[in-house]
Amino acid sequence: MKNNSSNYVESPLLVNEERDEEMTKSALASFRAKEEEIERRKSEVREKVQAQLSRAEEETKRLVGIRGEVEALTDPMRKEAAIVCKRIDLITRDLKQFGVNCHKKEKEYKEAVEAFNEKNKEKGQLIGKLVELVTESENLRFKKLDELCKNI
């Protein structure tokens, strides 16, 4: 009898567990379906926005072209003048850069000349010192030679 009563107790629990499991699966499936629907809608919205952006870009390009044509009608030389102005701006920018480079090179040149002059001055001083040492050495050698000659 114990076996039958234990089976009887387990059966309602199993039924409840199965029902809970089915509800969980159903809720999960429903959640996944909603997620897929949200993703699909997001994708649709993204595509629509992209299409509108593309159309807006095309219209912008077309309007720029029309604006250029209208401006050309008002002043035929305006376009050429604008091109010349752009070239002048580019050359001015280049000139500024060349000026900066020139000043930098002048500074480097002055520093190099200064370093050269300092080294030349140092060399002259060292040559003078060397001449003095050689002269002094010769004088000492002559004195010793004279002493040796006197001693002989």
Side-chain angles (χ1 to χ4, degrees), residues 1-10:
M1 285 234 163
K2 259 188 176 179
N3 275 348
N4 285 344
S5 67
S6 69
N7 283 341
Y8 179 76
V9 170
E10 288 178 0

Side-chain angles (χ1 to χ4, degrees), residues 39-56:
E39 286 299 318
R40 185 183 59 77
R41 286 185 182 173
K42 279 172 52 177
S43 176
E44 288 174 1
V45 168
R46 194 175 296 123
E47 288 172 6
K48 286 179 182 177
V49 168
Q50 188 61 38
Q52 286 179 350
L53 282 174
S54 296
R55 272 185 258 135

Side-chain angles (χ1 to χ4, degrees), residues 25-94:
K25 286 180 182 179
S26 174
L28 187 57
S30 174
F31 177 76
R32 285 184 183 152
K34 286 179 183 179
E35 283 292 315
E36 289 173 2
E37 178 66 19
I38 289 170
E39 286 299 318
R40 185 183 59 77
R41 286 185 182 173
K42 279 172 52 177
S43 176
E44 288 174 1
V45 168
R46 194 175 296 123
E47 288 172 6
K48 286 179 182 177
V49 168
Q50 188 61 38
Q52 286 179 350
L53 282 174
S54 296
R55 272 185 258 135
E57 288 174 358
E58 289 173 15
E59 290 299 316
T60 301
K61 288 178 185 177
R62 193 170 72 81
L63 287 174
V64 166
I66 291 171
R67 183 178 188 185
E69 290 174 15
V70 168
E71 287 178 357
L73 290 175
T74 57
D75 186 4
M77 300 304 284
R78 185 180 220 169
K79 187 175 183 180
E80 291 175 27
I83 291 171
V84 171
C85 285
K86 284 182 183 179
R87 292 200 60 208
I88 289 171
D89 290 342
L90 289 174
I91 290 171
T92 302
R93 194 175 321 137
D94 289 344

Side-chain angles (χ1 to χ4, degrees), residues 133-151:
L133 289 173
V134 168
T135 304
E136 191 177 319
S137 174
E138 285 178 353
N139 287 340
L140 286 175
R141 286 173 54 202
F142 278 126
K143 281 182 185 178
K144 282 190 178 187
L145 189 61
D146 282 342
E147 286 177 21
L148 285 175
C149 284
K150 287 181 185 176
N151 287 339

